[in-house]
Amino acid sequence: MNPKLLENLRTIEAIEKQLDGTDDWHVPEHIKQNKYFVEVSTSLPDALHELDGRMRQNKDYHLISKKPKRPFGGNVVATGEIGVWNRNGRPVIVVEAGNYWNFSLRHAWVGRTSMTSPFDTLGLTTVLVGQSEAAVVMDPANRIFVIRNSGFAAYGAQGTFKVIEIVDTLNLGDEHAHYESRPTGKGPILGWKRDVSIKVGGSPITVASFFLVPANNVLILQRGNELLLLRAGQHVITNPNTSFRGFYSLGERQTTFKTQPAYTVEGVPVVLNVNLRYRITDPVLLTASYNDAFTALANPAQTAVNSVVSRLSYQQFMRAQKVGGDVPDHHVEPWLDAFKSDCLRDLRVQAETYGITVESFDVLDRELEGNLGKDLEKQSELVLRNQIQATQVELQNHIATETQRGKLSIARVEAEQKRTVADADYYTAAKASDAKAYEVVKNAQAVAEASQLETQQAVKNIIALAEAKKQEVTIVGKAYSEVPEGHAQRMQLSVFEVEKRKALPEKTIYFGGEKSETSQHLVTAGFEQAAGWALAQK
């Protein structure tokens, strides 16, 4: 924050309590000295009882009636209400709920009212306000004071207290909003101001002004030749010597506007559409000369534009149809760069004298004024149109060339894809052929190995069979060599005898022998026959 502005804020914080009629939300001491004025500290009935006690103490009749409550009939007063009778032009009240009969010819029933509503009858005035409310009151001497988050009960023996208006300090109403002034219309809300007036002789007279200042905004008041700065928050002034000057925002502001015609070296009028960004650093210094920031910046901005444009030629302005890039030229400085460097510097110097810091001053567009300007503008547009057409043709040629290049690239990619597919097919076929040949070789090797194993096994079997036969012949020969002489002949004859018997028909009774044999001979013959069979089986 600007050091000077910070100093002003601290100064106003120190002297706010000393400003008579500014931000005074309490009952003035001279009002509290009134013997028939009682400020509410606990409740309104307590304040009314205290007021009644003061009146009785001063032997000024009484305020609260002594009428007893009845079980039925009469005037009914509900809870939270005040019942009022008129006794020779003076109020007599009850604050407790009940039924009251009136047997006095001097008492006339006036009515009843809620304790929470402002009440002003027969010189008795009561009011209650909440924390966000404020009551504007006029005392019997026509002096104005404001009371907030409290209330009072008063009786005017020599003039009455009058509640002029109750104001919601947190919501002053959209119709009381003050907007920032801009060339294009209303800007954002800077604050709210609501005046409370009374009519004297048919003319409204402002007796109090309420202000609601948003955060990061300030309020400027004037008292004589002195300017007062008040911070964000709720404010009220009741001093007629204090007047309102304006609201200001301390944040960054931005506005767009068109300058007045400025003339080039050739005398061609040029109007610039510019965007201005600024920040108010000293509202008091600004208010001393102007009512708003834009009014203060309008003349310095036009002066800076005239100073810069008068040094530039028409050709420099026509180097670009829109802001955003000039046609390259090494002999003439682009006008936009000159504007930013010179115009912004001049504007900043002048704006600082009014407590404003200019952060940027950008050109959005420009146009030529007058017949000469229009003719030059048409010529410029024609040249620009030709340039655009040439650019379009060049762009179309470029697009066609790039399209053909794209097609060529696509053909190359497709050929590469086909080549890749062919290589893959060839590789697959080669691998399949190699696998088939490998399978045939392996099958042949397996068959050869099986045949070799089979042959080797047959040879081994033949060798084993020959060896067995050899052993058989050896055993038979050895057996024959061990047979006793004559026994072999008999065994052979027995074999012949058996074969001869096999050749006979079935059921043939055969009797063989050349001579009768004794039992001894039969046993010997049977033993010999058995031994021959056994030898034959071996």
Side-chain angles (χ1 to χ4, degrees):
M1 185 177 291
N2 187 282
K4 188 173 183 178
L5 176 59
L6 184 60
E7 181 181 356
N8 289 339
L9 290 175
R10 292 173 179 172
T11 302
I12 194 63
E13 182 178 4
I15 66 174
E16 271 180 354
K17 298 180 180 179
Q18 304 175 6
L19 297 177
D20 182 29
T22 301
D23 287 350
D24 190 356
W25 302 97
H26 304 285
V27 179
E29 288 298 326
H30 67 272
I31 299 296
K32 292 182 180 181
Q33 299 301 323
N34 191 313
K35 60 182 178 179
Y36 290 154
F37 181 91
V38 179
E39 190 173 3
V40 175
S41 58
T42 56
S43 65
L44 183 58
D46 293 341
L48 290 171
H49 279 285
E50 183 177 349
L51 178 59
D52 177 68
R54 292 184 183 182
M55 294 176 67
R56 292 175 185 272
Q57 184 178 2
N58 287 276
K59 298 180 181 181
D60 197 2
Y61 299 97
H62 62 275
L63 177 64
I64 298 179
S65 176
K66 297 180 180 180
K67 292 180 174 62
K69 290 186 287 185
R70 304 295 180 175
F72 62 89
N75 301 115
V76 180
V77 178
T79 302
E81 292 183 336
I82 302 175
V84 184
W85 287 270
N86 184 346
R87 181 183 181 276
N88 297 331
R90 300 172 62 91
V92 176
I93 65 172
V94 292
V95 295
E96 296 182 1
N99 297 68
Y100 296 91
W101 294 355
N102 182 20
F103 297 106
S104 176
L105 297 177
R106 293 181 299 178
H107 288 188
W109 175 252
V110 176
R112 55 183 176 267
T113 183
S114 174
M115 293 185 182
T116 58
S117 301
F119 177 71
D120 186 3
T121 301
L122 302 174
L124 177 64
T125 305
T126 64
V127 66
L128 286 175
V129 289
Q131 185 173 3
S132 65
E133 295 177 327
V136 182
V137 185
M138 178 183 291
D139 70 353
N142 291 340
R143 292 173 297 189
I144 302 298
F145 66 95
V146 178
I147 184 171
R148 180 172 65 175
N149 193 25
S150 182
F152 68 88
Y155 176 70
Q158 298 176 352
T160 62
F161 289 85
K162 183 179 180 180
V163 178
I164 300 174
E165 189 173 347
I166 295 179
V167 178
D168 184 358
T169 59
L170 295 180
N171 183 15
L172 299 182
D174 294 338
E175 65 275 12
H176 301 288
H178 284 240
Y179 297 87
E180 184 179 38
S181 177
R182 290 185 177 181
T184 57
K186 293 192 302 184
I189 294 178
L190 297 176
W192 290 263
K193 173 180 177 288
R194 179 176 179 179
D195 294 329
V196 177
S197 304
I198 60 174
K199 285 189 176 181
V200 178
S203 301
I205 298 178
T206 301
V207 295
S209 296
F210 290 85
F211 303 93
L212 181 59
V213 184
N216 204 32
N217 289 9
V218 294
L219 168 66
I220 301 297
L221 302 177
Q222 182 173 351
R223 180 172 297 176
N225 291 327
E226 181 183 7
L227 293 177
L228 308 177
L229 184 148
L230 301 183
R231 298 170 297 171
Q234 305 166 26
H235 303 280
V236 62
I237 57 174
T238 56
N239 191 332
N241 295 326
T242 304
S243 59
F244 168 73
R245 288 299 304 270
F247 294 101
Y248 295 99
S249 174
L250 302 181
E252 181 181 287
R253 318 309 290 171
Q254 179 174 291
T255 185
T256 301
F257 64 96
K258 288 186 177 181
T259 65
Q260 297 296 323
Y263 294 89
T264 64
V265 174
E266 299 86 354
V268 178
V270 179
V271 175
L272 300 179
N273 186 20
V274 298
N275 181 67
L276 177 63
R277 287 194 305 115
Y278 61 91
R279 186 187 302 271
I280 300 176
T281 56
D282 193 341
V284 175
L285 183 60
L286 172 62
T287 310
S289 302
Y290 293 94
N291 291 327
D292 61 82
F294 179 76
T295 305
L297 291 175
N299 290 334
Q302 186 65 43
T303 302
V305 169
N306 293 340
S307 175
V308 175
V309 173
S310 62
R311 299 195 301 267
L312 301 176
S313 64
Y314 162 77
Q315 288 81 4
Q316 289 175 295
F317 279 96
M318 299 311 298
R319 303 192 62 77
Q321 178 69 12
K322 289 185 179 296
V323 175
D326 292 13
V327 178
D329 194 330
H330 301 289
H331 302 288
V332 182
E333 182 184 6
W335 67 271
L336 184 58
D337 293 342
F339 184 89
K340 287 183 177 181
S341 60
D342 297 340
C343 182
L344 182 59
R345 182 178 60 251
D346 296 344
L347 179 59
R348 281 178 174 173
V349 172
Q350 298 184 59
E352 287 178 357
T353 61
Y354 302 114
I356 302 174
T357 299
V358 178
E359 298 185 355
S360 68
F361 192 42
D362 301 320
V363 179
L364 302 180
D365 201 356
R366 62 97 184 93
E367 59 185 29
L368 303 178
E369 289 288 323
N371 294 331
L372 177 60
K374 292 180 180 179
D375 293 340
L376 295 176
E377 185 75 21
K378 291 180 180 179
Q379 295 178 8
S380 173
E381 290 179 356
L382 180 61
V383 173
L384 180 61
R385 188 179 298 110
N386 294 334
Q387 292 178 351
I388 293 175
Q389 291 178 354
T391 303
Q392 290 178 346
V393 173
E394 182 181 357
L395 179 60
Q396 291 176 354
N397 295 335
H398 178 72
I399 292 175
T401 303
E402 292 299 325
T403 302
Q404 294 299 326
R405 290 180 181 176
K407 292 181 179 180
L408 179 59
S409 300
I410 292 174
R412 290 177 180 174
V413 172
E414 291 177 350
E416 187 66 25
Q417 289 179 346
K418 292 180 180 180
R419 187 182 301 108
T420 303
V421 172
D423 292 344
D425 293 342
Y426 173 78
Y427 180 78
T428 302
K431 287 297 181 180
S433 177
D434 293 344
K436 190 66 176 177
Y438 181 77
E439 181 181 2
V440 171
V441 171
K442 288 298 181 181
N443 290 338
Q445 290 179 354
V447 171
E449 290 178 358
S451 178
Q452 182 181 1
L453 292 175
E454 185 179 356
T455 303
Q456 291 177 356
Q457 187 64 34
V459 171
K460 290 181 180 179
N461 292 339
I462 293 173
I463 294 174
L465 183 59
E467 188 66 26
K469 192 67 175 178
K470 178 181 177 181
Q471 291 180 1
E472 179 184 2
V473 173
T474 302
I475 293 172
V476 171
K478 184 177 180 181
Y480 282 154
S481 64
E482 292 178 355
V483 175
E485 184 179 357
H487 179 68
Q489 184 177 6
R490 286 194 297 271
M491 291 299 299
Q492 187 67 35
L493 291 175
S494 299
V495 170
F496 291 157
E497 187 67 24
V498 171
E499 295 293 332
K500 183 174 66 172
R501 291 177 181 179
K502 289 182 178 180
L504 293 177
E506 293 182 358
K507 299 181 181 180
T508 300
I509 299 173
Y510 175 75
F511 175 80
E514 295 178 354
K515 58 180 178 179
S516 62
E517 298 176 341
T518 65
S519 56
Q520 182 177 1
H521 291 129
L522 290 174
V523 170
T524 303
F527 179 77
E528 292 176 351
Q529 186 176 0
W533 280 108
L535 183 60
Q537 289 178 355
K538 293 182 179 180

